[in-house]
Amino acid sequence: MSIASELYDAISHDLRESGLLARGGFSTRESDQAPDLRDGRAARTVIMVGNAGPSMWQAFSRKQPTDPDPLDRWSHAILERVAAQHDADVAMPSDGPPFAPFQRWAMRAEPVFPSPLGLLIHPTWGLWHGYRGALLFPMVIEVPRHEATESLCDHCENQPCLSACPVDAFQRNDYRVDACVAHLETPEGQICMTSGCRARHACPVGQSAFPGADQAGFHMRAFVSGRSS
Ligand code: B12
């Protein structure tokens, strides 16, 4: 095993106690629009950090932070700590506008594809996963390779995600955010608020990766109150 993959493994290991996952990475090219590091060096490798399954929520809830944007701040602190150990810098998905193109980076890092909802679909976790940040490195690091595959959505005949929303907020290539939020503020919308987006639940892939009502409710409340994710 090369030193470079040992570094990737060390980062995965450092993240694990916080329930976060190293989710692949890539060597940058101009079109990635990766920002420079704070000290001006160019980012040569990006490693994505994210969450899937219950582990992040378990670690986060143990801390019970009460500050505003608690999950973003908690994630940021963890990423900064890991970055400091490995001569890296941090990019956060919610920093902006302009936002860093996290979904495009994610597609470079692992086999995820745009679903009809706009969210990326993962072959195991379906629509139940997210990105908490990215680590930017000034050197080239060997990262896990992923085979070229195709999106599971290409073989999904009925695309139930597109018809599950009670107010048809998701149309192909269009997400009517105002209709979604207006519904979430009604009594009928409380089922989506407390147990997660119906359209995401309708996807047959990764149903067992649903993180649980606590976490889903947290994200929905954050989305409605700040229109953030
Ligand atoms: C602004 C934003 C929103 C806006 C607008 C989304 C939109 N219509 O584009 C609002 C506030 C509505 C939103 C909502 C949500 N979002 Co949002 N959002 C973002 C954010 C911060 C910036 C997007 C952007 O402009 N990027 C800039 C462009 C240049 O980057 P890009 O990667 O090339 O752009 C891609 C996206 O715009 C995407 N896209 C196009 N249409 C849509 C529609 C939707 C619904 C989404 C999510 C993406 C999307 O296609 C582009 C090409 O790949 C990203 C984080 C980030 N930095 O990317 C999260 C992000 C896209 N959101 C995310 C999530 C999870 C959500 C929510 C599901 C949150 C929740 N409740 O749990 C909700 C959706 C509501 C629901 N029903 O549940 C995740 C998606 C993860 C994934 N599996 O793909 C991201 C990556 C954040 C994260 N921390 O992981 N979001």
Side-chain angles (χ1 to χ4, degrees):
M1 182 187 289
S2 69
I3 291 176
S5 11
E6 278 172 20
L7 180 52
Y8 185 87
D9 289 347
I11 289 160
S12 302
H13 178 266
D14 292 347
L15 292 167
R16 204 167 300 143
E17 71 178 277
S18 308
L20 294 174
L21 305 171
R23 298 191 53 185
F26 56 92
S27 293
T28 58
R29 47 192 190 209
E30 184 106 18
S31 56
D32 292 321
Q33 298 176 303
D36 290 343
L37 277 70
R38 274 186 290 245
D39 62 11
R41 287 178 293 173
R44 309 274 307 277
T45 306
V46 175
I47 291 182
M48 303 299 287
V49 176
N51 61 287
S55 59
M56 176 198 75
W57 191 252
Q58 285 163 358
F60 171 71
S61 330
R62 275 198 296 274
K63 297 282 178 206
Q64 301 200 329
T66 53
D67 38 351
D69 302 325
L71 186 56
D72 277 353
R73 287 181 189 219
W74 178 81
S75 310
H76 197 180
I78 292 162
L79 267 92
E80 287 288 358
R81 198 170 63 229
V82 173
Q85 282 161 11
H86 298 289
D87 188 27
D89 217 333
V90 174
M92 295 293 288
S94 51
D95 284 351
F99 297 108
F102 263 73
Q103 290 186 302
R104 265 187 283 145
W105 290 354
M107 288 188 268
R108 299 260 284 118
E110 53 176 2
V112 290
F113 299 88
S115 70
L117 301 184
L119 299 167
L120 300 176
I121 185 164
H122 183 278
T124 305
W125 303 316
L127 302 176
W128 299 112
H129 63 101
Y131 300 92
R132 303 271 53 98
L135 295 166
L136 311 173
F137 293 84
M139 63 284 200
V140 173
I141 297 175
E142 199 179 303
V143 291
R145 285 166 206 267
H146 61 89
E147 299 296 317
T149 49
E150 45 185 16
S151 171
L152 292 174
C153 300
D154 293 347
H155 303 283
C156 179
E157 273 181 23
N158 298 327
Q159 306 218 313
C161 60
L162 284 176
S163 54
C165 173
V167 291
D168 283 333
F170 293 100
Q171 326 229 318
R172 194 167 289 282
N173 303 322
D174 185 27
Y175 171 35
R176 300 189 305 131
V177 180
D178 290 346
C180 172
V181 172
H183 178 67
L184 294 172
E185 287 171 339
T186 65
E188 295 74 38
Q190 293 319 293
I191 178 95
C192 310
M193 277 300 283
T194 54
S195 53
C197 171
R198 301 289 90 195
R200 288 171 93 177
H201 273 295
C203 177
V205 183
Q207 296 214 337
S208 60
F210 174 63
D214 262 12
Q215 184 179 343
F218 171 91
H219 286 301
M220 294 307 271
R221 287 192 300 278
F223 162 54
V224 170
S225 63
R227 298 277 177 102
S228 73
S229 47

